[in-house]
Amino acid sequence: MSLLSIRNLQTEFRGPAGIARAVDGVSFDVNPGEIFGIVGESGCGKSATCRSILRLFAGATARIVGGEVILDGSGDLAAMREADLARVRGRDVAFIFQDPLTALNPTMRIGKQVAEIIRRHRQVSRSAARAAALELLRDVHIPSPERRLDAYPHELSGGLRQRVVIAMALALAPRLIIADEPTTALDVTVQDQILRLLKERRDRNGTSIIFITHDLGVVSQVCDRMAVMYAGRVVETGTVRDVLDRPSHPYTRALLDALPGQGGRDRDLVPIEGSPPGLIAPPPGCRFAPRCPFAGPACTQGMAPPLHPRPGATADHLDACILTEVPHAPA
Ligand SMILES: Nc1ncnc2c1ncn2[C@@H]1O[C@H](COP(=O)(O)OP(=O)(O)OP(=O)(O)O)[C@@H](O)[C@H]1O
Ligand SMILES: [Mg+2]
């Protein structure tokens, strides 16, 4: 049984130029205790997909217009009243944003910020909440946590701030954590520590994690299963080993071929030519077809192709390419 099952999710942004369908028929499942990676070029809808899960949209122009977000035991979050969804946020599903500063209140000591999350959802005394906050700072390996409780966010480094944000996400022991590029603003060693921290939490508590990143190396290092998104849709999904070692969609292949020195070979970066289509009036057929070296006439007609398994592939390895044989791009 999946912990989270997203079915045919559609989310629109209303703007002066028209309505952009940033999420257009996205489906995937996240299993209990699994780290699920979402990758794809900037603007493909990774954040919009994940914000749709909790309806955490910045601004009022975003709207879910179709599909389901089934959280095991809670029902369809997409159909839930705002007041009920507010209880799910933090308690069952927590969100970690890219920039820790936007998630922290600059005028409040960090111990109090962590404690307040606990007090908002649970009937506990001020001192018990403070003790729990201290424990959480310890859990995320913040050095001298007793001293840090009374610090303000600006007194901490970026890495420590992101640890505080993670402590806040862990505060109510959620079953699912959504981490939207939680390490991109951090230097490489700190990135590594944060990744280890999230993995540790999964290993110890069986917490599921959705991990959005641009970095295929990170996906290969920490994720179990993954989805590759392109222009508002999932074009390939499966285990990380299937998708990265046996990619079947031309877009996934192009992404992998664009990696420098992949597979131990010294290869020059191969940028993918062209740019993704606009989301206000996307072209018919496969949205990657205009950039795809293998596209034929059938690729640019009709509906965008749905995800399907390929003959001989693992049952949960799906892609959305209609070509039966996709040759590897020349190395
Ligand atoms: N508040 C908004 N108003 C209008 N359009 C938006 C808004 N937020 C996002 N979009 C559009 O929705 C699409 C998906 O954006 P989203 O932020 O989900 O991309 P992303 O995959 O997370 O990209 P990145 O890797 O840069 O974070 C983009 O084309 C973007 O222009
Ligand atoms: Mg994003």
Side-chain angles (χ1 to χ4, degrees):
M1 176 86 191
S2 308
L3 174 66
L4 180 78
S5 185
I6 296 184
R7 285 289 164 270
N8 199 24
L9 181 68
Q10 290 155 300
T11 300
E12 292 179 347
F13 288 104
R14 210 167 281 270
I19 295 172
R21 182 70 66 87
V23 181
D24 195 8
V26 164
S27 301
F28 61 83
D29 286 280
V30 180
N31 296 314
E34 172 172 271
I35 306 186
F36 188 88
I38 303 181
V39 300
E41 282 166 290
S42 188
C44 69
K46 304 180 295 295
S47 297
T49 297
C50 287
R51 285 167 178 272
S52 298
I53 296 170
L54 289 176
R55 274 183 261 153
L56 281 175
F57 300 118
T61 65
R63 203 159 64 94
I64 297 177
V65 294
E68 296 175 321
V69 178
I70 310 292
L71 181 68
D72 178 39
S74 301
D76 183 5
L77 304 187
M80 202 175 260
R81 283 171 30 230
E82 176 55 34
D84 296 326
L85 189 60
R87 276 190 285 275
V88 170
R89 289 192 196 114
R91 185 192 65 187
D92 299 306
V93 183
F95 208 101
I96 299 172
F97 294 94
Q98 176 175 341
D99 177 7
L101 278 183
T102 60
L104 295 172
N105 180 341
T107 65
M108 201 192 279
R109 299 178 196 275
I110 60 162
K112 185 149 194 238
Q113 298 195 45
V114 180
E116 286 221 333
I117 292 182
I118 298 167
R119 278 168 61 78
R120 209 179 300 143
H121 287 263
R122 299 218 177 109
Q123 302 284 351
V124 291
S125 69
R126 221 171 272 277
S127 64
R130 187 177 162 92
L134 176 62
E135 208 47 49
L136 283 160
L137 296 191
R138 222 175 248 133
D139 282 352
V140 297
H141 309 302
I142 289 180
S144 336
E146 295 86 354
R147 199 156 55 79
R148 270 12 191 284
L149 275 179
D150 291 320
Y152 287 97
H154 74 266
E155 296 175 305
L156 304 180
S157 66
L160 283 185
R161 281 199 288 261
Q162 194 59 303
R163 278 170 200 256
V164 173
V165 171
I166 293 173
M168 288 164 70
L170 300 179
L172 302 167
R175 292 184 290 162
L176 174 66
I177 293 174
I178 302 169
D180 189 352
E181 310 208 37
T183 61
T184 20
L186 306 171
D187 73 54
V188 178
T189 40
V190 181
Q191 269 185 31
D192 223 51
Q193 293 162 359
I194 297 289
L195 292 177
R196 248 183 286 144
L197 191 61
L198 289 171
K199 224 173 159 172
E200 184 180 297
R201 186 68 180 195
R202 187 278 302 273
D203 294 344
R204 280 204 197 145
N205 300 53
T207 312
S208 301
I209 300 171
I210 296 179
F211 196 92
I212 301 179
T213 176
H214 279 108
D215 189 335
L216 286 169
V218 167
V219 171
S220 144
Q221 203 186 317
V222 303
C223 298
D224 304 301
R225 290 171 59 252
M226 66 185 290
V228 180
M229 286 190 68
Y230 187 80
R233 298 180 59 86
V234 173
V235 294
E236 184 159 356
T237 180
T239 64
V240 166
R241 289 283 64 88
D242 276 342
V243 174
L244 295 186
D245 295 348
R246 291 170 284 280
S248 51
H249 195 285
Y251 177 60
T252 314
R253 293 199 174 176
L255 278 183
L256 288 166
D257 284 329
L259 285 181
Q262 195 229 347
R265 282 169 294 161
D266 192 25
R267 279 208 282 178
D268 287 338
L269 189 82
V270 186
I272 308 174
E273 271 186 44
S275 48
L279 298 170
I280 292 178
C286 171
R287 289 175 189 181
F288 186 60
R291 297 166 86 183
C292 181
F294 315 112
C299 297
T300 53
Q301 283 163 31
M303 309 276 283
L307 288 169
H308 60 86
R310 275 178 191 270
T314 327
D316 77 339
H317 184 190
L318 311 174
D319 83 77
C321 177
I322 62 165
L323 302 172
T324 45
E325 286 294 330
V326 182
H328 259 295

